[in-house]
């Protein structure tokens, strides 16, 4: 009797389960082709993404190797020409950044300040606006502009950097600004840069040199003022 009751209960549960499951089973059967296709597409996308990542990694490795071979070249003139051509066609941002840095250095060493300035400028536009590298590139560009005899433009560029530069780069910018202003006889700008360094120097820093430098620049300024 007990077995019969259990069998009746089991049959009842199976019947109810079948009723609940049948709509879902019908949905699976009715849409089996679509579901299969979706699964296949998901697999293909996953494989495609993996393949693309591998392809990108291979491209990056190849570009690094090519740049390394260029920089290992013995002839400076040929190296500069090949490096410039490489920069024009490489697309990977990481490699292009390294190539532009190398091009700026190599062209400056070769005395090609126009190319060096162009390389620094392109690098500054390639990296994020708030990146320290952008400010470094613009400082390099200012230096090359000065080498091209465009000192007013170089000074203006350096001054424009001070408003947004990271704190850790402010000192370097003021040093460059003071040096350039002093060499071009713009004593007020040189004094202003030196005073900024003095005012922002850590309390533990020996400030005697900066005070002496300011006094020296002020003395240099007096004959210029008398001449005017």
């Amino acid at each position: 009797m007990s077995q019969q009751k259990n069998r009746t209960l089991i049959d009842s549960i199976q019947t109810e389960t079948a009723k609940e499951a049948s709509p879902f089973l019908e949905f699976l059967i009715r849409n089996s082709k679509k579901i299969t296709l979706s699964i296949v597409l998901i697999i293909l996308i996953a494989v495609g993404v993996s393949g693309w990542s591998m392809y990108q990694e291979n491209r990056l490795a190849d570009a690094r190797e090519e740049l390394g071979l260029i920089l290992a070249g013995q002839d400076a003139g040929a190296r500069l020409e090949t490096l410039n051509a490489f920069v024009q066609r490489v697309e990977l941002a990481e490699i292009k950044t390294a190539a532009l840095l190398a091009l700026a250095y190599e062209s400056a060493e070769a005395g090609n300040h126009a190319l060096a300035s162009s390389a620094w400028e392109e690098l500054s536009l390639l990296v994020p606006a708030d990146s320290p590298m952008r400010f470094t590139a613009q400082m390099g560009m200012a230096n090359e502009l000065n080498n091209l005899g465009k000192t007013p433009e170089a000074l203006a560029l350096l001054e424009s950097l001070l408003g947004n530069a990271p704190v850790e780069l402010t000192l370097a910018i003021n040093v460059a600004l003071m040096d350039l202003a002093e060499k071009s006889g713009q004593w007020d700008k040189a004094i202003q840069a030196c005073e900024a360094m003095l005012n922002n120097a850590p309390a533990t820093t020996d400030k005697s040199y900066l005070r002496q430098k300011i006094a020296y620049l002020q003395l240099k300024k007096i004959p210029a003022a008398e001449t005017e």
Side-chain angles (χ1 to χ4, degrees):
M1 184 70 177
S2 176
Q3 289 181 354
Q4 185 177 357
K5 285 183 179 179
N6 288 340
R7 172 55 57 191
T8 303
L9 180 59
I10 291 169
D11 291 342
S12 176
I13 291 172
Q14 287 178 339
T15 301
E16 293 301 321
T17 303
K19 287 180 181 178
E20 293 296 326
S22 59
F24 180 64
L25 289 172
E26 288 177 10
F27 170 80
L28 290 177
I29 293 168
R30 195 166 54 246
N31 297 281
S32 60
K33 289 184 179 180
K34 293 181 180 179
I35 292 169
T36 302
L37 179 61
S38 297
I39 292 171
V40 171
L41 285 173
I42 290 170
I43 293 171
L44 287 174
I45 290 169
V47 171
V49 170
S50 176
W52 175 252
S53 298
M54 188 177 296
Y55 169 70
Q56 288 292 86
E57 288 175 8
N58 289 338
R59 285 183 66 204
L60 189 60
D62 290 344
R64 281 177 180 154
E65 183 179 355
E66 185 177 356
L67 179 58
L69 289 172
I70 292 170
L71 295 178
Q74 297 299 311
D75 183 78
R79 184 169 63 243
L80 182 58
E81 185 177 345
T82 307
L83 183 58
N84 191 25
F86 177 77
V87 165
Q88 301 310 314
R89 62 182 170 79
V90 70
E91 296 178 357
L92 297 167
E94 178 183 334
I95 300 300
K96 197 175 187 74
T97 299
L100 283 167
L101 278 169
L103 180 61
Y105 173 79
E106 291 280 348
S107 50
E109 286 290 296
N112 191 338
H113 301 295
L115 183 57
S117 176
S118 177
W120 283 123
E121 183 177 13
E122 187 174 353
L123 179 59
S124 73
L125 296 173
L126 179 65
V127 298
D130 59 348
S131 167
M133 177 63 76
R134 183 165 191 170
F135 292 92
T136 302
Q138 289 177 321
M139 288 175 64
M141 183 181 170
N143 183 60
E144 296 307 326
L145 285 172
N146 179 58
N147 288 332
L148 289 168
K150 300 178 179 180
T151 303
E153 292 179 33
L155 282 168
L157 178 55
L158 288 172
E159 287 176 311
S160 72
L161 299 181
L162 286 173
N164 300 312
V167 175
E168 60 270 20
L169 290 179
T170 302
L171 175 62
I173 294 172
N174 273 313
V175 169
L177 188 56
M178 181 189 71
D179 182 62
L180 193 54
E182 181 182 0
K183 288 177 179 176
S184 60
Q186 300 194 44
W187 309 114
D188 285 331
K189 289 183 185 295
I191 292 169
Q192 185 178 4
C194 199
E195 287 177 341
M197 286 188 281
L198 179 64
N199 295 333
N200 293 306
T204 55
T205 302
D206 183 2
K207 301 177 183 179
S208 58
Y209 169 77
L210 291 173
R211 293 191 182 97
Q212 291 172 6
K213 186 68 175 180
I214 291 171
Y216 167 78
L217 292 170
Q218 286 172 337
L219 286 174
K220 296 289 288 185
K221 179 184 172 181
I222 293 172
E226 291 175 349
T227 304
E228 292 175 359

